[in-house]
Amino acid sequence: MGFDVKAILMGRFREGLEKLHSHSGDITSHADYLAGLLNDIEFEINVLRSDFSLPHHAVSELVPDWAKADADVDDADFQLPEHLRGTGQDDVEEVVS
């Protein structure tokens, strides 16, 4: 479930933000509206942290077995959002000293 939420945020929601951002300047800037959307999400995340007494940072990298099983099923048909797809080539320049 957590993976689904993250995929929605990093996929469809981000795509929506990009579309709104690309139309900024046509008539008016959408920056305040976009910032407001993110503020709403941050607020809801903080409510969830409070309701479930969750820390702001994960103290462990361990993933429970039940979460791994769900992630494996979810990963079977997952497609990386288009904006995150690369060419497979690194764009890193080599630094020579």
Side-chain angles (χ1 to χ4, degrees):
M1 180 163 158
F3 180 79
D4 292 339
V5 171
K6 187 175 179 179
I8 288 169
L9 281 174
M10 297 309 294
R12 292 188 354 215
F13 184 72
R14 182 182 180 92
E15 184 178 311
L17 292 178
E18 288 173 348
K19 284 181 182 178
L20 282 172
H21 181 71
S22 71
H23 293 291
S24 285
D26 292 351
I27 297 172
T28 184
S29 171
H30 298 303
D32 288 339
Y33 177 72
L34 298 176
L37 289 175
L38 293 178
N39 288 343
D40 292 345
I41 291 170
E42 268 185 321
F43 176 80
E44 294 301 331
I45 288 170
N46 287 326
V47 168
L48 290 171
R49 282 188 198 283
S50 177
D51 288 351
F52 295 99
S53 301
L54 300 172
H56 283 274
H57 301 284
V59 294
S60 173
E61 294 289 327
L62 298 177
V63 177
D65 290 337
W66 61 265
K68 288 179 189 174
D70 285 348
D72 290 342
V73 170
D74 290 340
D75 285 348
D77 61 344
F78 174 74
Q79 290 187 1
L80 195 61
E82 188 174 326
H83 71 278
L84 295 176
R85 294 182 200 152
T87 61
Q89 300 175 356
D90 290 333
D91 293 332
V92 179
E93 295 181 18
E94 186 175 323
V95 177
V96 180
S97 335

